[in-house]
Every structure is written in structure tokens, then in C-alpha cells.
Amino acid sequence: MPELPEVQTIVSELDNKIKNKAIKSVEVFKFQSVRPMSKKFIQGVKGRKVLRVKRRAKMIIIELSGKKYLLIHLKMTGQLVYQSKSGKGVSGGHPIPVSAKVKQIYAYPMSGGVKPVGGLPSKFTRAQFDFSDGSHLYFNDIRRFGWIKFVDEKSYQEETGKYGLEPLSKDFTLTAFKEAIKRYSNRKIKQVLMDQSLIAGIGNIYADEADFAAHVMPTRQAKTLTAKEISDLHKAIPRILKLAVKMKGTSADTYVTTSGEEGNMLKHLKVYGRKGEKCRGCPGDVHWMKLAGRGTHYCPLCQK
DNA sequence: TTCAATGTTTAGAC
DNA sequence: GGTCTAAACATTGA
């Protein structure tokens, strides 16, 4: 799934596009992808107005009228694509170049008939929201890990309360970061960075990038990090995430913005997805290993 | 045919 | 309880 920068990109765009719009109708193609897994989901959402769209960790929050919320988790391959009234192409009828990857997903025949490129819903559309101004929001997911929950205030507080520090907020101080590291000091540093209850929003891509930037091996036990290494990590994390937000995220697989465009962060990555390629910091090359079940990229010469 | 893929959760072993 | 691994969810592509 998208990590913090990708989710932030989607949230910012969506807030612009659907704020203050009323949800006229809701269609669910796979009830497995929504909670509650029944018509109650549709009944609950229909007729409400979108007040704002925001983010907590990797979760998208659509604040609805009547103190209700839509919580959306894209997991590995989820997408939220917005289509304006014209319905031609994606986003506002502007002729935006769409990647081959995305074309494939959009153009996939639903059942029998072939849809034109840009045709949504597609085979992978799990739910669709229609707004009163004629625009639409599609929730697509190739795999079926992602979900949309319709919840009340209480559940909203519970769901968002379990996350840790937001690395782009002013709460992400060096002291708070040290505390987070101390709490699970026996774990490997990459696992600490990816623990959503400690720091919210860092996933596999940006954990590898942060470790590389701070010259720290992902396998290092957290308690063995020097003060300088902790400080370097603390500086690297927001720096990398901010750049990635500016680039509208990393399209390593199926991630696209709400307009169906790919992010531009891929070319700025130093180690992720570069197994066997030349290191961007020394004459060596990027290595790969499995750590806690996740593919992990590093340079054994640059990282200690 | 086998393995890996932006995530999270859960079960089992020590 | 902590900590580790593997597996589960489902699908595609190399």
C-alpha cells in the first residue's frame, strides 16, 4: 500500500475535489471490502455531506455530516480515483496522460464487453461513490486487502487513537523519537521505524530509505544506535517524507494519485527496489535481504 | 513453477 | 509477557 506520502497526496487532492459535496448514491461491488459488510454500509453513507478529508498514519479519513466517518485503508494495492462529471478519462476531463499500468487496470473488461480506456468502474472496483454534482469516486483494489469502514465518533476515536507519532508533525521531536526507540530497544531498528504504534506512516520503502540516509543497517538492534545515528535518523525521516510528498509519492506498483497519475518519487529512491544496482553513495551495489518478512534493501558499505 | 510485491493481524514456538 | 517466524488475506507478474 501506499505509505504516508502516497496517502497524504491522495488526501490533499481529495479534500480539494470532494469537500462539501453530497454523496447521492453508493454502489458496492464487493461487500468483502466494506464494513459493515452489508447494505447497512450503503444506507449509512448515502445522503451525507463530505466535510473534509484528512489523514492519520496510512489511513484516509473522510469526515461526514452527522458525526460519521469513512475510514479507508488501501493496504498494498488500493486506489482512490476521482472522476468529474464528464466521465471521460480521469480527473476533470483534462487530457492527463495515463500510465500503461493504470490503463490496464481501468480498461479491464468487467464481464464480457470491453470498456474504453479510462472506463470505470472496472473489474477491480470494489465500491463507487456518486456525488450530487455528477462526479464519482472509485475505490479500486487488485488484491482484496484494502477496506472502507463506515463508523461513528466512538469507533473513529478508537481506530485513530492506536497510532503513534506523526513524523511530519511538531510532536516528532528528538526526545519523543528517542522514547519510541527505547520502548522496543531490543528490536531491529527497521522494525521500530515500521511499528505504527510508535511512529505512524512509515512503511517498507521509506524505512529502507531512512536507514540508508542515516548510514544505519536495518538489522541493528535499536539499543545499539549512537546518539548521532538516532539524530541522523530523526532528521532523515521528515526530510525524505517531505520530498516524497512533494513528488506525489512512489509508484512502485499500482499506486496512483486520485487523478490516475503516477508519483515521481521513484527516481529519488536510493536503495528501495534497486537490488543489485549500483549504490548511489559508493562504488558498491545495493544488497537485499529478508527482515521480519519484508524485502529489505541496503548498502553494506554505506551502512554500519 | 516459484517467489516477491507500498500492509496488518494472528497463531505458534521458545 | 517478550520476541521471533511464518502464515493468512488475494492477485499479478517476473
Side-chain angles (χ1 to χ4, degrees):
Chain A
M1 117 177 180
E3 304 179 30
L4 186 150
E6 292 77 33
V7 175
Q8 185 59 52
T9 300
I10 291 167
V11 161
S12 304
E13 292 184 355
L14 220 47
D15 191 53
N16 272 325
K17 290 170 176 171
I18 67 170
K19 196 201 280 234
N20 295 324
K21 291 187 181 176
I23 301 170
K24 197 176 70 181
S25 56
V26 180
E27 196 160 352
V28 176
F29 302 98
K30 274 278 178 281
F31 276 96
Q32 192 188 334
S33 302
V34 301
R35 303 293 137 82
M37 272 191 246
S38 67
K39 295 240 171 74
K40 281 186 187 163
F41 176 85
I42 297 171
Q43 289 159 1
V45 177
K46 207 164 81 172
R48 290 184 196 273
K49 195 171 127 183
V50 173
L51 301 184
R52 59 194 283 225
V53 185
K54 54 187 185 178
R55 180 189 63 76
R56 176 79 173 107
K58 302 172 192 170
M59 194 156 69
I60 297 159
I61 300 158
I62 300 180
E63 214 178 304
L64 301 173
S65 53
K67 295 220 158 137
K68 302 287 184 183
Y69 301 83
L70 280 174
L71 306 180
I72 305 174
H73 207 305
L74 301 173
K75 292 292 180 82
M76 304 279 265
T77 53
Q79 304 175 328
L80 279 176
V81 176
Y82 175 83
Q83 203 170 50
S84 72
K85 190 182 176 179
S86 73
K88 295 277 185 203
V90 281
S91 184
H94 297 293
I96 285 168
V98 173
S99 76
K101 231 178 278 173
V102 178
K103 265 183 194 165
Q104 209 182 350
I105 293 168
Y106 286 11
Y108 223 101
M110 278 279 287
S111 55
V114 177
K115 294 245 172 196
V117 170
L120 283 167
S122 75
K123 178 185 174 182
F124 302 111
T125 302
R126 308 306 179 198
Q128 170 181 345
F129 301 88
D130 306 308
F131 299 101
S132 47
D133 69 344
S135 59
H136 312 278
L137 183 65
Y138 300 92
F139 172 58
N140 303 329
D141 194 8
I142 294 180
R143 294 151 87 171
R144 264 171 249 166
F145 294 176
W147 43 251
I148 304 182
K149 294 180 186 175
F150 173 70
V151 298
D152 60 16
E153 181 77 26
K154 186 166 165 278
S155 305
Y156 162 71
Q157 294 296 346
E158 279 170 11
E159 295 254 4
T160 53
K162 60 190 180 192
Y163 293 112
L165 293 167
E166 279 292 339
L168 293 185
S169 78
K170 56 181 183 308
D171 298 337
F172 190 64
T173 60
L174 183 57
T175 312
F177 183 55
K178 278 181 185 162
E179 277 301 310
I181 287 179
K182 211 155 89 184
R183 214 158 109 213
Y184 289 110
S185 59
N186 286 328
R187 290 189 190 170
K188 296 179 173 74
I189 187 61
K190 179 175 176 181
Q191 292 179 278
V192 172
L193 297 183
M194 288 181 63
D195 188 325
Q196 302 302 300
S197 70
L198 298 176
I199 305 158
I202 300 177
N204 209 29
I205 297 176
Y206 300 107
D208 282 2
E209 292 298 313
D211 281 334
F212 177 81
H215 308 287
V216 175
M217 277 293 289
T219 47
R220 280 273 296 284
Q221 213 179 12
K223 68 167 109 177
T224 69
L225 264 65
T226 65
K228 170 148 191 348
E229 286 170 333
I230 293 175
S231 162
D232 284 351
L233 259 183
H234 176 254
K235 277 183 276 192
I237 289 166
R239 179 168 54 77
I240 294 167
L241 292 178
K242 276 180 197 165
L243 174 65
V245 169
K246 206 170 149 191
M247 293 296 132
K248 296 183 187 291
T250 302
S251 287
D253 192 6
T254 60
Y255 163 76
V256 287
T257 69
T258 60
S259 310
E261 297 173 291
E262 294 193 336
N264 299 310
M265 187 62 189
L266 195 58
K267 52 180 171 285
H268 294 276
L269 298 181
K270 300 268 174 61
V271 285
Y272 181 85
R274 303 192 63 248
K275 175 165 64 163
E277 291 175 38
K278 211 163 162 13
C279 174
R280 289 190 168 142
C282 77
D285 51 29
V286 176
H287 287 228
W288 185 93
M289 65 155 78
K290 206 143 199 173
L291 192 163
R294 308 304 303 274
T296 299
H297 311 73
Y298 64 100
C299 170
L301 300 176
C302 291
Q303 292 164 266
K304 299 294 167 198

